[in-house]
């Protein structure tokens, strides 16, 4: 039996699928994984993305942060790909209960998914660091330099920067979803970045499926490993 038909059988038999995805889910929508595209940034920027996307850098060099952020982190014209669409379809069919994502691009919601747990937040939401007022993406796009609230506070994207903790409520909901799942599909992540690997430890079922172009840290624990792009793989599944 080939891997796609094995995956199809596992999905057919499952009642509570949870999907956990990383940057690889969005690369097929044209959004690069900044962790894997080092060369590009170093030519144009003084610091590596991990530094520029840290809370310390945001607080100390907000002008440089927003230059980089507006230039490299916003892909507002990106469209959902076959992976996003299939996951939304599985949710509508009552098979999938949650999508847990490390991506900040809103593409799962655009594809129609309702229960999306955004571990790293979303570029579409922004808030004042002083009064906590929320602002839409337009506030970032229409402002120059450092966007500010009428109260004087700096407006920050609602994304989790390096050095910042994850949102506890979102993380807790993700842990619960993984604990209750009977099939865990992990896609587009090599599972080296915390909390990805940690979340998998909460899974109590037998069936973990890993779909990733490269090796992952959990290949040996998976029931099924598929070495292919996630959209290409999920597009072959029938709901
Ligand atoms: Zn404010």
């Amino acid at each position: 039996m080939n891997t796609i038909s094995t995956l199809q059988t596992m999905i057919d038999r499952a009642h509570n699928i949870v999907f956990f995805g990383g940057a690889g889910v969005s690369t097929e929508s044209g959004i690069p994984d900044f962790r894997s595209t080092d060369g590009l940034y170093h030519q144009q920027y003084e610091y590596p993305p991990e530094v520029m996307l840290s809370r310390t850098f945001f607080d100390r060099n907000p002008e440089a942060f927003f230059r980089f952020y507006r230039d490299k982190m916003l892909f507002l014209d990106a469209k959902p790909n076959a992976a996003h669409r299939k996951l939304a379809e599985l949710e509508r069919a009552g098979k999938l209960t949650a999508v847990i994502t490390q991506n900040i691009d809103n593409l799962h919601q655009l594809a129609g998914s309702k229960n999306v747990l955004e571990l790293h937040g979303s570029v579409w939401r922004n808030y004042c660091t002083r009064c906590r007022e929320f602002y839409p993406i337009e506030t970032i796009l229409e402002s120059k330099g450092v966007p500010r609230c009428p109260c004087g506070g700096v407006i920050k994207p609602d994304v989790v920067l390096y050095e910042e903790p994850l949102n506890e409520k979102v993380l807790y909901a993700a842990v619960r979803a993984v604990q209750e799942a009977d099939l865990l599909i992990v896609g587009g992540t090599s599972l080296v970045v915390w909390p990805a690997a940690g979340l998998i430890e909460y899974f109590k079922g037998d069936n973990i499926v890993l779909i990733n172009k490269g090796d992952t840290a959990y290949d040996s624990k998976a029931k099924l490993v598929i070495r292919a792009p996630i959209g290409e793989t999920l597009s072959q599944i029938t709901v």
Side-chain angles (χ1 to χ4, degrees):
M1 198 149 71
N2 74 32
T3 51
I4 295 295
S5 56
T6 306
L7 176 60
Q8 181 73 58
T9 304
M10 290 165 94
I11 288 174
D12 289 345
R13 288 178 184 164
H15 304 288
N16 188 339
I17 303 169
V18 167
F19 177 82
F20 177 79
V25 177
S26 291
T27 50
E28 284 167 86
S29 292
I31 300 179
D33 177 1
F34 68 84
R35 286 188 192 84
S36 66
T37 49
D38 44 344
L40 182 74
Y41 299 118
H42 291 283
Q43 291 165 15
Q44 253 181 302
Y45 290 93
E46 213 174 322
Y47 305 98
E50 289 81 358
V51 172
M52 302 192 82
L53 295 173
S54 69
R55 182 61 195 243
T56 304
F57 194 85
F58 176 87
D59 288 334
R60 290 184 187 162
N61 305 287
E63 293 86 4
F65 172 88
F66 277 104
R67 254 198 318 274
F68 176 78
Y69 181 79
R70 287 192 181 95
D71 193 23
K72 294 291 178 196
M73 300 303 289
L74 300 177
F75 297 89
L76 306 178
D77 297 328
K79 300 275 182 291
N81 63 53
H84 300 104
R85 290 194 296 271
K86 190 64 68 173
L87 292 165
E89 213 180 309
L90 284 164
E91 186 187 57
R92 279 196 298 276
K95 302 279 287 179
L96 180 143
T97 50
V99 168
I100 304 166
T101 183
Q102 294 178 290
N103 299 333
I104 54 178
D105 51 37
N106 199 47
L107 291 182
H108 287 292
Q109 290 92 332
L110 273 178
S113 284
K114 300 287 180 229
N115 191 23
V116 182
L117 301 169
E118 297 173 310
L119 290 176
H120 292 164
S122 172
V123 298
W124 292 80
R125 293 187 303 268
N126 306 274
Y127 66 92
C128 171
T129 51
R130 187 182 288 172
C131 74
R132 302 275 145 177
E133 176 77 19
F134 268 81
Y135 290 92
I137 185 70
E138 286 76 17
T139 307
I140 305 295
L141 299 178
E142 289 162 8
S143 56
K144 293 247 183 318
V146 181
R148 285 192 184 268
C149 178
C151 85
V154 173
I155 296 173
K156 180 185 172 293
D158 190 12
V159 299
V160 179
L161 300 177
Y162 287 97
E163 306 163 354
E164 288 186 317
L166 299 185
N167 179 309
E168 259 179 53
K169 273 187 191 161
V170 176
L171 184 58
Y172 182 69
V175 167
R176 275 256 311 258
V178 169
Q179 280 176 329
E180 291 167 3
D182 60 3
L183 172 59
L184 180 62
I185 304 176
V186 182
T189 167
S190 52
L191 290 173
V192 288
V193 182
W194 194 88
L199 264 179
I200 287 197
E201 299 288 351
Y202 288 98
F203 183 60
K204 295 173 181 159
D206 298 320
N207 292 336
I208 298 181
V209 177
L210 297 178
I211 307 170
N212 198 51
K213 283 198 268 185
D215 292 343
T216 85
Y218 274 74
D219 283 2
S220 61
K221 289 202 173 184
K223 186 66 73 75
L224 177 64
V225 178
I226 301 177
R227 289 261 175 277
I230 178 93
E232 185 188 304
T233 304
L234 290 184
S235 66
Q236 298 173 68
I237 293 299
T238 310
V239 177

